[in-house]
Amino acid sequence: MRAGGYNATTRGLVASLLQEPPEDESCCAMLAAAGEPLRHRAVDEGAVRPDVAMADLVTLVNAIALATESATATEAQRLMRLALEGVSPTRR
């Protein structure tokens, strides 16, 4: 949940992440490499589905950051919570 608040305080980060440097030097590649151990642990603990790649998570966080660039931290956190918990009123 902290990513929403973090994104709301790092305006402009998304624009830099969306630029296309060489793949091995990109911010997204570095974030994915750094986050992979955390994703793996989350999968092992049942907090993240096994088919969710680190690139998916980086893309999701970037999308929320882009969508909430002019929003408050509270609004960004609400959108992150919605993404994590889903829109369905019941879990199946």
Side-chain angles (χ1 to χ4, degrees):
M1 293 294 185
R2 287 184 222 154
Y6 173 79
N7 288 333
T9 61
T10 55
R11 308 282 185 228
L13 175 64
V14 174
S16 67
L17 289 173
L18 293 176
Q19 294 176 359
E20 294 292 331
E23 187 63 31
D24 60 336
E25 298 176 18
S26 77
C27 290
C28 286
M30 289 186 278
L31 285 171
E36 186 57 36
L38 296 172
R39 186 205 66 84
H40 193 302
R41 189 172 77 202
V43 169
D44 288 347
E45 293 176 4
V48 173
R49 293 188 342 225
D51 64 318
V52 175
M54 191 61 212
D56 297 330
L57 298 173
V58 170
T59 300
L60 179 61
V61 169
N62 285 341
I64 291 171
L66 184 61
T68 60
E69 269 196 329
S70 62
T72 66
T74 300
E75 291 167 327
Q77 290 169 346
R78 185 185 92 48
L79 190 56
M80 179 64 79
R81 190 174 304 109
L82 181 64
L84 294 174
E85 294 174 2
V87 297
S88 176
T90 59
R91 297 216 177 228
R92 295 183 184 156

